[in-house]
Amino acid sequence: MAALPLRALTLRQLQFFSVLVEEGQFGRAARRLAITQPALSNAIKQMEKLLGAELLTRSTHRLELTPVGAEVLARTDFLVNTFEVALRDIESTVQRGRAYVRIGVIPSASARVAAAASEFLQDGHREVELSWRDAPSNTLLAELRSGQIDMAVAAITEPPGGLTCIDLFRDPLVLVVRRDHPLAAAGDASWEAIGKERLVLFESGSMPALGNPARAQFAQGPQPYRVSYSETLYALVRGGQALGLMPRLYTSSLRDPELAVVPLLKPRVERRVVLAYLPGPMRNVVAQELIAFLRERLPQAGEATVRRVSGKGVRTRR
């Protein structure tokens, strides 16, 4: 029997499919959707009939996506998220008289992005409601593709597929050391100067793709410690257990008298900080205006003072 036209698919069917995959079982998904299990099963069968392809392989205890189902799910999540956000836009506009824009940002860049966004709001855009999401770059880019956020300031080492990315600035790796460490008095350091000392670096974000290869190529010490949070990294450095290796952005708010930030040169290893968004028309005019504003302001913020440590204390270079 020939497949029915795809335009007969409904948003409700797509929502059912998305929840079913998330829950992994018809029973749990039906309870969450407040419908009967047979009704959910029939909706998925009708969806497969309309598409002319099997989306799931079913067994007694589990469901698995077929290759076609995996492709459909990615687009389903985008459509469902976009619909839910559109409803939120309408609610915000009708009830509050404001446009609604969702921004994703890596934690290390949050201070700069928040400052620029505040300037945007004060510059004739007071009737805007901003929603903030802070997460690692890979999470933000995935949420951007699925329509959960409108734009993201993220750090990348390779161009992400399916997104428009505007370079904002480069963020080099630096060392965080105790102030009584010999490297603190040097002003800057080469990778060879690390020698056989142990490093501590972040286990997620851009560091696995950036810090691990750099360390393997230039440093000769033991396997580094890997942590999730900057305070843990700083604690290990304070205790003399390791030298911290991290992007410079993370150190912009560091005010610890026991620690010093040392630029790593020869060679300089850095990540790209970009403003990313989906190609094509934006959801609303305000989101377009905010992207244009951030595109202009954030590269200027990226030229902020670089702290360098000398024997006399902290000095700055622009």
Side-chain angles (χ1 to χ4, degrees):
M1 181 177 179
L4 297 175
L6 290 183
R7 292 188 181 276
L9 276 173
T10 66
L11 179 64
R12 186 173 177 81
Q13 287 172 318
L14 297 176
Q15 290 172 320
F16 285 0
F17 177 57
S18 180
V19 171
L20 176 59
V21 173
E22 186 176 336
E23 293 294 340
Q25 290 184 355
F26 276 93
R28 286 202 301 261
R31 286 192 294 272
R32 177 174 160 185
L33 293 165
I35 61 173
T36 65
Q37 188 169 328
L40 175 59
S41 180
N42 288 335
I44 299 302
K45 288 178 181 178
Q46 180 66 14
M47 186 175 174
E48 290 178 322
K49 183 178 180 180
L50 290 169
L51 292 170
E54 189 177 50
L55 302 177
L56 299 160
T57 56
R58 301 160 175 83
S59 67
T60 305
H61 301 291
R62 60 185 301 177
L63 296 172
E64 290 187 358
L65 286 168
T66 64
V68 172
E71 291 294 326
V72 171
L73 178 64
R75 289 153 180 81
T76 294
D77 285 344
F78 176 78
L79 288 171
V80 171
N81 289 330
T82 301
F83 175 75
E84 291 176 351
V85 169
L87 290 180
R88 203 175 304 166
D89 283 348
I90 294 171
E91 179 187 32
S92 181
T93 301
V94 172
Q95 296 184 359
R96 304 179 183 88
R98 296 180 176 182
Y100 189 81
V101 180
R102 303 156 304 155
I103 307 173
V105 59
I106 51 175
S108 57
S110 58
R112 294 181 182 181
V113 178
S118 296
E119 186 180 349
F120 175 80
L121 294 176
Q122 295 166 8
D123 190 23
H125 295 88
R126 296 182 184 276
E127 301 305 316
V128 179
E129 183 172 347
L130 299 181
S131 172
W132 292 91
R133 167 74 164 132
D134 62 330
S137 294
N138 54 352
T139 300
L140 293 177
L141 297 178
E143 292 181 358
L144 186 58
R145 290 190 185 93
S146 67
Q148 297 177 62
I149 55 178
D150 296 310
M151 65 195 74
V153 175
I156 64 173
T157 54
E158 297 291 338
L163 298 174
T164 298
C165 291
I166 300 169
D167 277 298
L168 298 175
F169 50 86
R170 300 299 176 106
D171 187 24
L173 296 186
V174 297
L175 282 178
V176 179
V177 303
R178 287 169 53 108
R179 284 201 179 273
D180 58 3
H181 192 282
L183 289 176
D188 53 46
S190 67
W191 285 87
E192 286 76 10
I194 297 173
K196 296 185 179 298
E197 295 204 50
R198 187 187 294 272
L199 295 172
V200 54
L201 48 84
F202 294 129
E203 63 182 353
S204 61
S206 58
M207 288 306 292
L210 196 66
N212 288 343
R215 176 206 160 271
Q217 183 176 356
F218 302 113
Q220 304 300 318
Q223 284 296 314
Y225 296 126
R226 291 178 172 83
V227 299
S228 298
Y229 301 101
S230 55
E231 280 308 313
T232 306
L233 185 148
Y234 295 148
L236 291 174
V237 176
R238 283 191 211 99
Q241 299 185 48
L243 306 182
L245 178 65
M246 63 197 312
R248 189 179 69 198
L249 268 179
Y250 279 93
T251 68
S252 60
S253 59
L254 180 61
R255 301 290 186 272
D256 192 317
E258 297 183 54
L259 302 179
V261 179
V262 181
L264 258 176
L265 308 176
K266 301 177 184 178
R268 177 182 168 109
V269 179
E270 56 192 10
R271 61 181 185 168
R272 293 168 56 193
V273 178
V274 301
L275 176 61
Y277 53 92
L278 285 169
M282 296 294 294
R283 288 185 310 104
N284 58 55
V285 174
V286 177
Q288 293 177 334
E289 293 175 348
L290 180 55
I291 284 177
F293 189 88
L294 295 178
R295 181 176 183 173
E296 177 185 353
R297 289 293 191 275
L298 290 179
Q300 298 173 8
E303 297 171 359
T305 299
V306 178
R307 288 186 181 82
R308 300 191 66 197
V309 180
S310 70
K312 298 180 180 179
V314 177
R315 66 185 182 188
T316 61
R317 180 181 69 186
R318 293 203 178 269

